[in-house]
Amino acid sequence: MTRLPLIIGLAALLVVVVVGMYATEFTVYLGNDPTACNNCHVMDAAYEGWYHAGHQAWATCNDCHTPHALIPKYFVKAKSGMNHVFHFTLGSIPEPLRAKTESKNIIQANCIYCHQETVSQIADGQMDSGRYCFECHRSVAHGERGISILPYQDKGMYDPHSQSLQEK
């Protein structure tokens, strides 16, 4: 009889997890569809920039922002996703959004992975010059920084204490 409450508790937990995954369309985040990355309004400018930039025809968000190997890819997606949920829930979304060092290293590795031949010819075979590719090629993946046709980008709309939000 002592096992019955445990079984009921685990069944209830399973139901809550399954309903939560269904309600949040969790499975969309397991794929490579860039619109999944754009589900949060805070990503509008990044998505719009990517959509109109040169990489849109060749690469999705995951091609640049996650490792290509299966297990590391989903580890990074899970870690990043939990970080995003945490900040969004608490309303502590950093503005402007900037990649952390771990993300920068992943992006750099993916730049070199996809452009290995070009990089080796340009850099005299030096694959690591101490600089990130996107320090010079910042606008390649997401277009020019700060240019958006969206009305409130980089204006503090996600900060409840923002001056621009209080003016509305």
Side-chain angles (χ1 to χ4, degrees):
M1 281 295 171
T2 59
R3 299 176 97 198
L4 186 59
L6 178 63
I7 292 171
I8 291 172
L10 289 174
L13 179 63
L14 180 64
V15 167
V16 167
V17 168
V18 168
V19 168
M21 290 172 70
Y22 176 78
T24 61
E25 298 179 5
F26 173 77
T27 56
V28 75
Y29 297 101
L30 298 176
N32 287 322
D33 184 358
T35 58
C37 299
N38 194 37
N39 276 342
C40 297
H41 295 291
V42 73
M43 295 304 296
D44 283 347
Y47 176 81
E48 180 184 341
W50 164 82
Y51 188 82
H52 295 289
H55 272 74
Q56 189 264 346
W58 309 104
T60 65
C61 305
N62 287 322
D63 291 326
C64 298
H65 292 276
T66 62
H68 291 188
L70 185 68
I71 292 173
K73 173 182 179 175
Y74 284 100
F75 177 77
V76 167
K77 284 178 76 124
K79 184 177 174 184
S80 296
M82 289 306 298
N83 185 46
H84 298 162
V85 167
F86 175 79
H87 285 292
F88 191 75
T89 301
L90 295 180
S92 62
I93 299 168
E95 289 190 35
L97 291 175
R98 296 292 180 256
K100 295 179 181 176
T101 301
E102 179 183 11
S103 296
K104 289 178 180 181
N105 292 337
I106 291 168
I107 295 166
Q108 176 71 4
N110 288 333
C111 288
I112 292 171
Y113 176 82
C114 291
H115 301 283
Q116 188 170 13
E117 186 176 332
T118 303
V119 171
S120 68
Q121 292 173 6
I122 293 172
D124 295 328
Q126 298 176 16
M127 297 306 268
D128 182 12
S129 66
R131 297 179 69 188
Y132 292 114
C133 296
F134 49 86
E135 288 179 28
C136 296
H137 303 280
R138 186 166 300 281
S139 64
V140 171
H142 290 285
E144 293 298 324
R145 181 180 282 173
I147 296 176
S148 176
I149 61 171
L150 298 171
Y152 306 112
Q153 292 303 317
D154 298 325
K155 301 277 191 274
M157 83 177 271
Y158 301 103
D159 179 3
H161 307 293
S162 167
Q163 186 67 25
S164 64
L165 187 62
Q166 293 172 4
E167 293 171 357
K168 294 182 181 160

